[in-house]
Amino acid sequence: MDMENKKTGSLKKGETKRQQRDDGRQTRERLLECAGILAAQKGFSLVTSKEICQMAGTNLAAINYHFGSREGLYEALLYQIHQFMVNEDSLREIASRDSSPREKISALVDMVAEQAWSRENWQMQVWSREVMHTDQSAHVSAVLMQVVKVKGSLALKLFSDYTGLAMDDIRLYICFLCFMSPILLVTYGKHSNIEYQKMTHTSCNDEELLANIKRFCFAGLDSYRK
């Protein structure tokens, strides 16, 4: 379907409005995927809109139509990647489990590590590359501000339940940051050219590494428990 038909809302012969919406959704998702694949290879700033649209099989007007601008596409891409890392529905499911706060925090960490440490996806390659790219910090901050409102509060509640610290206690934020930092550091190492295992003389597999990180971080978290 061409862009003109979409803007006017007119339908092709035999086409329904639902098919039109589905086509539009598929085009949007394809643009995001192609932008992500290309950004993983060389960074979003070096990827042209023409390259993205050619790979997606659509025209240049599609980016502005679906995202408002190239910057809008970039922020939508970062938002999608964060959802990939920490899915809101999965986080809510963990929070609602009939298990201890410690078990819930452990499940949260397992979920993040499983997604973030995988080298088989372009999402984490893009995230590691773009988060460390200072020229794009404004866009990264804008996306983080969106996701922190909901997902951040859900995650913090798990730490509040475990430590007994109030949600508005600055120490709770410090606990959360210190607990998750090793996970994020390993994530960056896995998706960069840094051979962190050689630097730290670490030969354990991911399962052993994660278990030891959690043991270390829970020990620190326990010192704040009321």
Side-chain angles (χ1 to χ4, degrees), residues 30-41 44 52 77 80-81 122-123 125-126:
R30 182 61 179 161
L31 285 167
L32 283 169
E33 181 181 14
C34 292
I37 292 172
L38 292 169
Q41 296 173 0
F44 189 83
I52 296 170
L77 177 64
Q80 184 191 65
I81 292 172
W122 55 261
Q123 287 89 344
Q125 295 176 42
V126 175

Side-chain angles (χ1 to χ4, degrees), residues 101-112:
R102 185 185 180 103
E103 289 171 329
K104 292 179 182 180
I105 292 174
S106 182
L108 166 64
V109 173
D110 289 344
M111 178 181 70
V112 173

Side-chain angles (χ1 to χ4, degrees), residues 14-45:
E15 184 180 43
T16 66
K17 288 185 177 181
R18 181 173 181 177
Q19 287 173 325
Q20 189 182 63
R21 288 194 298 269
D22 289 344
D23 287 345
R25 188 180 302 111
Q26 290 172 7
T27 299
R28 187 180 191 279
E29 291 174 354
R30 182 61 179 161
L31 285 167
L32 283 169
E33 181 181 14
C34 292
I37 292 172
L38 292 169
Q41 296 173 0
K42 54 185 179 181
F44 189 83
S45 62

Side-chain angles (χ1 to χ4, degrees), residues 2 13 18 20 33 35 45 64 83 87-88 92 99 109 114 124 141 156-157 163-164 188 194 198-199 202 204 223:
D2 59 33
K13 185 176 180 180
R18 181 173 181 177
Q20 189 182 63
E33 181 181 14
S45 62
N64 286 340
Q83 275 291 93
N87 182 271
E88 184 179 330
R92 289 186 184 278
S99 55
V109 173
E114 181 180 1
M124 293 314 306
S141 297
L156 282 171
K157 182 63 167 58
T163 61
Y188 178 68
I194 298 174
K198 290 183 178 180
M199 292 171 60
T202 303
C204 60
S223 68

Side-chain angles (χ1 to χ4, degrees), residues 38-51:
L38 292 169
Q41 296 173 0
K42 54 185 179 181
F44 189 83
S45 62
L46 298 179
V47 177
T48 67
S49 297
K50 183 178 180 181
E51 286 179 292

Side-chain angles (χ1 to χ4, degrees), residues 7 9 27 30 36 42 48 55 60 63 72 75 92 96 101 104 131 137-138 150-151 160 172 183 185 187 213 215 223:
K7 290 183 178 181
T27 299
R30 182 61 179 161
K42 54 185 179 181
T48 67
M55 187 175 184
L60 278 172
I63 289 180
E75 290 191 5
R92 289 186 184 278
S96 66
K104 292 179 182 180
V131 167
S137 59
V150 178
K151 290 191 280 188
S160 176
L172 182 65
I183 310 297
L185 182 61
T187 298
I213 287 176
R215 180 181 178 183
S223 68

